Amino acid sequence: MLNILMICLLALVPGEATPPLEPNGVRASGNLPAFQGDPAPPDWLRLDSQVLADPDCRHYGYEVYAGDTQWLVRYVMFPEEREDFREIEQIFLFPRAKGRAKVARIAPAELQIEPLAVRWKGQIFRLVDRRDLVRE
């Protein structure tokens, strides 16, 4: 009985859920544990933002922040020695429902980054997904 209770409790711990969806050839680096909070972002957000960001570094970070009506997605590149890159940081603002509005690009300097949230134009977005990723 105790084992069943422990399994149920572990299922509720952030970061211990089923592995998140990743594009082909991308996996968790294993350097930092993933963070997952509520509300969980939809799978389409990960895949659509990956296409827009088109990370050109092998190692990069992916973060999703939930706002009242929008998702804020942040990519941070970690270039290795002699590895080229276009931008170190890319930020996108998505509508909560796919296709409801255009995706906007935000300048990194416009954000105030906190440990579990970001502020943009007076709005607070809570961290709901963070991953440290590498392309194989």
Side-chain angles (χ1 to χ4, degrees):
M1 181 68 173
L2 183 59
N3 288 339
I4 293 171
L5 179 61
M6 291 293 286
I7 291 170
C8 290
L9 288 174
L10 284 175
L12 298 175
V13 174
E16 298 296 327
T18 58
L21 178 68
E22 296 296 351
N24 286 338
V26 177
R27 63 172 175 78
S29 71
N31 294 333
L32 298 172
F35 173 85
Q36 292 179 300
D38 286 322
D43 289 341
W44 64 263
L45 185 65
R46 173 71 180 108
L47 301 176
D48 288 6
S49 67
Q50 175 82 14
V51 170
L52 287 174
D54 189 22
D56 46 6
C57 290
R58 182 177 171 276
H59 183 194
Y60 63 96
Y62 165 79
E63 299 171 350
V64 177
Y65 297 84
D68 292 335
T69 61
Q70 298 167 309
W71 300 106
L72 191 143
V73 181
R74 180 174 178 243
Y75 283 82
V76 179
M77 307 307 154
F78 304 115
E80 296 172 359
E81 189 175 313
R82 289 186 238 125
E83 188 174 39
D84 292 329
F85 61 91
R86 290 182 306 272
E87 298 174 85
I88 286 289
E89 188 174 0
Q90 297 181 65
I91 301 158
F92 305 97
L93 194 61
F94 284 83
R96 273 293 182 112
K98 186 174 180 160
R100 291 275 169 106
K102 286 187 175 181
V103 176
R105 187 179 277 265
I106 297 174
E110 294 180 17
L111 287 184
Q112 292 175 298
I113 300 170
E114 300 172 5
L116 295 175
V118 295
R119 293 177 188 268
W120 177 71
K121 294 188 175 184
Q123 299 176 60
I124 296 175
F125 294 81
R126 290 180 337 276
L127 180 66
V128 293
D129 193 356
R130 178 187 293 146
R131 305 179 208 174
D132 188 48
L133 303 168
V134 293
R135 282 192 334 231
E136 297 177 332

